[in-house]
Amino acid sequence: MSTLSTHILDISTGKPAEGVAVSLSREGETLANLVTNAQGRIATFSAAPLPAGRYCLTAETGAWFARAGRESVFTRAQIDFVVGEAA
């Protein structure tokens, strides 16, 4: 894997989710804390390739909805993935 990026859309409106806080962690250690841009994207979390290991990408969607004055049952979205080893 050369880079890691993310794209978050608000499916209720079909628009990009600007301003969502997203963190990347590896085996419990936080590697990056970034925020989605106006297109709902984070282009890359690191210029260097990710080393082998287990990772977690977490988007704080509940805080994003709250700032917009909207309720949601989704407090966060989390994706766990593996790089460079069998799942």
Side-chain angles (χ1 to χ4, degrees), residues 7-64:
H7 186 201
I8 302 174
L9 297 173
D10 178 349
I11 60 170
S12 67
T13 64
K15 296 182 180 178
E18 179 181 6
V20 178
V22 181
S23 65
L24 174 66
S25 59
R26 178 176 182 244
E27 299 172 5
E29 177 186 354
T30 301
L31 303 175
N33 289 303
L34 299 169
V35 178
T36 56
N37 64 18
Q39 292 78 41
R41 296 181 186 276
I42 296 173
T44 185
F45 284 85
S46 172
L50 296 175
R54 297 182 179 279
Y55 291 84
C56 180
L57 191 63
T58 305
E60 298 296 337
T61 54
W64 181 79

Side-chain angles (χ1 to χ4, degrees), residues 60-84:
E60 298 296 337
T61 54
W64 181 79
F65 278 111
R67 282 193 308 278
R70 297 166 56 195
E71 291 185 26
S72 176
V73 298
F74 301 107
T75 58
R76 90 178 23 125
Q78 181 173 302
I79 300 170
D80 297 310
F81 61 98
V82 178
V83 173

